[in-house]
Amino acid sequence: MGDRHMTSRKTWYLLVDRTPKDGRWNMAVDEFLFRQVQQAPLTYLRFYAWDKPTVSLGFYQKTEKVLDLEVCRRQGVDIVRRMTGGKLVLHHEEVTYAVASSEADIFSASLKESYRLVSEALILGLKRLGLEANLASATPENYKRGNLPCFSFPAQDEIEIKGKKLIGSAQKRVGQTFLQHGSIPLRNNTSLLQLLTPKRDDGQSSLKMISLEEALGRVIEFDEVVAALISGFSEYFNVEIRPKVLTEKDREEIYHLEREKYGNPDWVFQR
């Protein structure tokens, strides 16, 4: 953890949405937090869930290359586009985390280094649940260059257990400010994910992923996971974590982002 810790503990601000929310709202809140940290040096930590199966597309992805829209309609699966890069993720029965920060003295001015630090804090949180996870060492070339879903393979510095991806993350950075968010499946929904993504004929259709319940060998729910991860972040970064309550003005900004951007088909489908 090195010399980035201050002698006096810094304060981070925490949002936990225990009631699952619509994907457009979820993405709008994350962008709102990213905008907030651009105005002053601070850090937000957020945990949330999704009210129905929802696919999120990475910022640069072309919808038709990675997703079967007709199957999504038939299965009642929502579609949103993230402000972060990365690959397609199916959000369903999971814990999603987000870190928005402009505190380069805690993290780093580098995308790669801040990504690794967040991953190490998550690993410490997972240890609280009795899991020994580690950072993946390298990104497979066919995964890096192709249109496979996020949970096909662990990429470098993503979190894996026994060679299978447990957490898939993506980051957006502007200068020293970044947003990183990621999906932590409680249960395995690979059968639905495989239905939604175009069939492949190169033998790369299998998904190297594992859910928390598979890794633990028991049922686990949102609150237990979040408590462990908050503890991991607090210890790893040596910070005090205090609840943040959204004001009416905050909510108005989020509603505007939800309506004008994340609910806009031009944004979602890159029209």
Side-chain angles (χ1 to χ4, degrees), residues 41-56:
L42 75 161
T43 300
Y44 288 108
L45 178 63
R46 179 180 177 225
F47 297 95
Y48 56 97
W50 306 66
D51 65 1
K52 65 187 293 190
T54 304
V55 164
S56 74

Side-chain angles (χ1 to χ4, degrees), residues 218-265:
R218 66 176 177 87
V219 173
I220 190 166
E221 299 297 346
F222 182 91
D223 285 348
E224 183 183 354
V225 178
V226 169
L229 295 177
I230 292 170
S231 173
F233 274 101
S234 177
E235 180 182 338
Y236 185 83
F237 290 107
N238 188 30
V239 291
E240 181 181 350
I241 296 178
R242 293 182 186 169
K244 153 77 176 173
V245 177
L246 293 172
T247 66
E248 192 57 42
K249 181 174 178 293
D250 294 339
R251 289 183 172 276
E252 283 174 13
E253 283 189 48
I254 294 165
Y255 284 130
H256 180 78
L257 273 170
E258 178 188 28
R259 185 175 61 251
E260 300 300 323
K261 182 173 183 177
Y262 292 101
N264 184 340

Side-chain angles (χ1 to χ4, degrees), residues 92-94 184-190 209-214 218-222:
H92 184 42
E93 298 182 307
E94 70 170 50
I184 313 169
L186 294 171
R187 289 169 271 284
N188 194 318
N189 287 292
T190 52
M209 71 165 288
I210 189 169
S211 67
L212 276 174
E213 290 195 352
E214 289 169 318
R218 66 176 177 87
V219 173
I220 190 166
E221 299 297 346
F222 182 91

